[in-house]
Amino acid sequence: MERHHPINVQIREESRDWLAEHAQIATAFTVDCALDLVMRDGGLGGLHLVEHPVASPYWKDYDAIPGCHPADWGRQWDLSNWGFISARSDGRPVGGAVVAFRTPGFETLEGRGDLAVLWDIRISPEVRRCGIAARLEAAVERWALERGCRQLKVETQNVNVAACKFYASRGFELGVINRFAYPELPDEIQLLWYKPLPTSRGGKSSP
């Protein structure tokens, strides 16, 4: 796989108004491989994820799924406590991350006040593999630490192998494998990753 050279990028926190620009950054990708779940003795003998090529590669666009476009989030949840982080190159948006925190009704947060969810991260196709995603993830981690979070969580699927490898490289550990999370997409497996955050730093814990 071709690797691009690093580019000059500015990472900064934005207001909720950033979502309109964030939505303009393409998030789609080609699914040409997936992680197959191998179970022994119905799972009692262990679970193993094995990468394999997809016979018929296809295009995956999360924004096209009903309710998943950034414009839909504010209609589903109160975004008052969410964080919005941009990556700009020469003033042009080339990436962004959105982090959820303390949101009633947002089940992915598990009702916890010490957990932040990296809800969305996207990089413009022409600058992917330039290190921007790592800088955005680090910024999200700092954002969560400032609010007293003890863990960072992110959801992926077995068809997004690149994302799985990225989060593993960033210190996330696979915490949940849910084969039945997406009834409308029976071939996709939900993977929930968790990253412990250092507790030695002083944070602005919310009451």
Side-chain angles (χ1 to χ4, degrees):
M1 179 182 294
E2 179 186 2
R3 286 190 173 272
H4 301 167
H5 294 295
I7 61 173
N8 183 28
V9 171
Q10 297 78 45
I11 306 293
R12 71 185 192 193
E13 188 172 347
E14 305 278 357
S15 70
R16 177 178 169 176
D17 293 338
W18 157 256
L19 267 184
E21 289 186 87
H22 183 79
Q24 298 302 311
I25 302 169
T27 188
F29 61 98
T30 299
V31 177
D32 54 13
C33 61
L35 297 171
D36 189 24
L37 181 63
V38 178
M39 298 190 299
R40 297 183 176 87
D41 296 331
L44 292 177
L47 305 175
H48 192 52
L49 291 168
V50 179
E51 184 177 346
H52 66 89
V54 172
S56 299
Y58 59 93
W59 193 242
K60 181 77 174 181
D61 185 357
Y62 290 110
D63 284 354
I65 301 173
C68 292
H69 191 276
D72 299 324
W73 300 342
R75 291 191 285 268
Q76 299 176 69
W77 306 292
D78 179 359
L79 308 185
S80 301
N81 292 328
W82 289 34
F84 308 93
I85 300 171
S86 69
R88 299 176 184 269
S89 178
D90 297 324
R92 179 176 64 92
V94 294
V98 177
V99 53
F101 175 65
R102 288 188 179 269
T103 306
F106 190 75
E107 296 181 358
T108 310
L109 281 167
E110 305 173 18
R112 293 171 52 184
D114 63 348
L115 177 69
V117 171
L118 176 48
W119 180 241
D120 189 87
I121 185 168
R122 55 184 67 194
I123 310 296
S124 294
E126 70 275 12
V127 293
R128 290 175 183 172
R129 301 186 300 280
C130 290
I132 299 173
R135 292 187 59 190
L136 283 170
E137 190 277 330
V140 167
E141 181 177 336
R142 289 192 296 270
W143 188 95
L145 279 168
E146 289 173 356
R147 286 152 182 82
C149 292
R150 298 172 60 89
Q151 273 187 321
L152 189 59
K153 176 182 178 182
V154 68
E155 175 182 350
T156 64
Q157 294 74 38
N158 65 315
V159 296
N160 196 346
V161 176
C164 292
K165 291 181 177 179
F166 169 74
Y167 291 119
S169 74
R170 296 295 300 175
F172 286 79
E173 295 180 349
L174 187 56
V176 175
I177 299 175
N178 189 343
R179 297 165 55 205
F180 310 111
Y182 315 115
E184 71 284 4
L185 299 169
D187 293 330
E188 293 196 11
I189 299 171
Q190 181 192 63
L191 305 174
L192 300 180
W193 301 79
Y194 294 81
K195 181 176 184 177
L197 300 179
T199 57
S200 57
R201 302 186 197 177
K204 299 183 294 186
S205 299
S206 301

